[in-house]
Amino acid sequence: GVAPSDVSPDEGVVEDLPLIDEKAVEQLTEGLISHYLPDLQRSKSALQELTQNQVVLLETLEQEISKFKDCNSIVDINALFSEAKHYHNKLVNIRNEMMMLHEKTSKLKVSGDKY
């Protein structure tokens, strides 16, 4: 008898190839497309939504960053104001000291005139 190893697994398949019906292939293709298309369309719309969300997120982030930049400039302004206060206080102190010196010198002059 014929040993099973002698029989090629491809035997008979090659002979069947010309019998493949083009109409059947078309229907199979249409079937596959109609099967996968909804999923693909869902994926596409999901991706579009994701992209839109990312755009919105990026815009929001840019707004937040500009807010932080504004905050930094506000901090700078606050620093300027506190510096101005500091120097104003120094000036007030200097003026007070000068007034005191003026008083002292005028007192000295007055007491000096006596003699």
Side-chain angles (χ1 to χ4, degrees):
V2 177
S5 59
D6 290 347
V7 179
S8 165
D10 292 336
E11 209 167 26
V13 176
V14 179
E15 290 156 23
D16 289 345
L17 276 177
L19 298 177
I20 288 176
D21 186 6
E22 280 183 34
K23 190 82 185 140
V25 171
E26 216 173 283
Q27 283 174 338
L28 271 171
T29 310
E30 277 176 23
L32 278 171
I33 288 172
S34 65
H35 180 73
Y36 286 112
L37 200 60
D39 282 343
L40 285 172
Q41 282 171 334
R42 271 198 294 273
S43 300
K44 186 185 174 186
S45 61
L47 277 173
Q48 281 175 333
E49 202 178 321
L50 247 175
T51 310
Q52 282 173 337
N53 287 346
Q54 280 182 328
V55 168
V56 171
L57 196 67
L58 279 173
E59 283 173 0
T60 311
L61 268 175
E62 278 172 13
Q63 285 172 0
E64 291 300 312
I65 288 167
S66 64
K67 273 186 203 169
F68 274 115
K69 281 180 183 166
D70 291 348
C71 283
N72 279 348
S73 56
I74 287 168
V75 168
D76 291 347
I77 290 166
N78 286 341
L80 271 176
F81 272 117
S82 60
E83 231 173 285
K85 258 188 193 171
H86 174 71
Y87 284 115
H88 176 73
N89 289 340
K90 271 192 168 184
L91 282 171
V92 169
N93 288 340
I94 290 169
R95 194 191 65 184
N96 290 344
E97 276 177 33
M98 287 183 81
M99 298 259 288
M100 277 169 58
L101 281 171
H102 179 70
E103 275 179 39
K104 278 183 183 173
T105 50
S106 58
K107 273 183 188 169
L108 280 172
K109 272 183 188 171
V110 170
S111 58
D113 288 343
K114 282 180 181 170
Y115 299 107

